[in-house]
Amino acid sequence: MPACQLDHITITTPALPEANSWVRRVLGVGAAPGGKHPAMGTENMLLRLGDATFLEIIAVDPYAPAPARPRWFALDTIGVESLASLATWVARTSDIAAAAAAAEPIAAPGAITPMARGERNWLITIPDDGSLPLGGVAPALIEWEPGPHPAAGMPDHGLSLVKLELCHPDARRVQALLDAIGMQGPVSAVRISERMQPFLRAHIGTPAGVRILG
């Protein structure tokens, strides 16, 4: 069985500054510039949530050419008037092929795709249409190149990811997915009404107490 751990949570937004203002209001500290993803035409900001966990804010890079394929994290569906949203999360593994195969029958994670930002390289699963599996409740799978985790080089503001709740009408399916990929760490499936859309709720420890993003 593969083994996965919570790597990072992802906020999507039409513009990085507005989303970062929201993060600052909730957590008391904002994210720092990350970099650009030439293959996707996107850019991000990053905030450490632990030794090997972080928060990512990601948006379309307005100065980059559009990629030849749909952008990841459903960014092509976000309008200029859209609000920032805790849209999905990413699970880390040392064997992305095994984890993707285990997830496939429950919630297909997408093709394993090489990706780069600056000097850092990794493999990540991306659906061909750029969508978010299970409405964002199913994670993208990531396998980093060998070396220190990206969070290790980020400023430490005393934040930690206490718990991530995956809220979905079919919580059994979500739990089956977590079991299939060998998910370890503070991630739980929460059942919500059939009338509700899936969403995430992140409980983040700060020096002023636990705050909730979602």
Side-chain angles (χ1 to χ4, degrees):
M1 175 186 292
C4 290
Q5 296 179 317
L6 199 162
D7 192 78
H8 62 276
I9 57 176
T10 297
I11 293 172
T12 58
T13 178
L16 295 180
E18 287 78 4
N20 201 26
S21 294
W22 171 48
V23 169
R24 188 182 299 275
R25 287 195 303 272
V26 176
L27 302 182
V29 62
K36 299 177 183 292
H37 314 100
M40 286 289 158
T42 57
E43 58 183 349
N44 67 3
M45 302 184 76
L46 306 171
L47 180 62
R48 177 176 170 143
L49 298 179
D51 292 341
T53 311
F54 62 94
L55 178 152
E56 173 188 41
I57 306 171
I58 190 166
V60 171
D61 180 355
Y63 302 106
R69 54 153 296 157
R71 293 179 176 91
W72 51 6
F73 302 124
L75 284 169
D76 289 327
T77 68
I78 296 178
V80 294
E81 301 299 324
S82 299
L83 297 175
S85 170
L86 180 56
T88 192
W89 61 294
V90 180
R92 180 176 67 254
T93 177
S94 61
D95 189 344
I96 193 169
E104 183 75 25
I106 305 168
I112 298 172
T113 308
M115 197 56 58
R117 177 176 61 81
E119 297 181 354
R120 188 168 291 278
N121 299 282
W122 64 93
L123 299 173
I124 189 168
T125 56
I126 309 173
D128 290 341
D129 61 0
S131 62
L132 298 173
L134 290 188
V137 167
L141 302 171
I142 195 168
E143 182 178 339
W144 294 103
E145 65 181 352
H149 189 272
M154 300 176 193
D156 187 350
H157 299 286
L159 305 182
S160 61
L161 185 52
V162 177
K163 178 171 59 173
L164 180 64
E165 294 178 310
L166 313 177
C167 303
H168 193 280
D170 192 350
R172 289 185 178 180
R173 181 181 179 188
V174 176
Q175 187 59 54
L177 175 63
L178 297 179
D179 293 342
I181 65 174
M183 188 64 209
Q184 302 170 1
V187 181
S188 59
V190 177
R191 185 180 181 277
I192 57 175
S193 167
E194 297 286 346
R195 296 186 297 273
M196 298 177 68
Q197 295 297 314
F199 65 93
L200 304 183
R201 192 160 48 210
H203 300 246
I204 299 175
T206 80
V210 175
R211 300 290 183 263
I212 296 177
L213 276 175

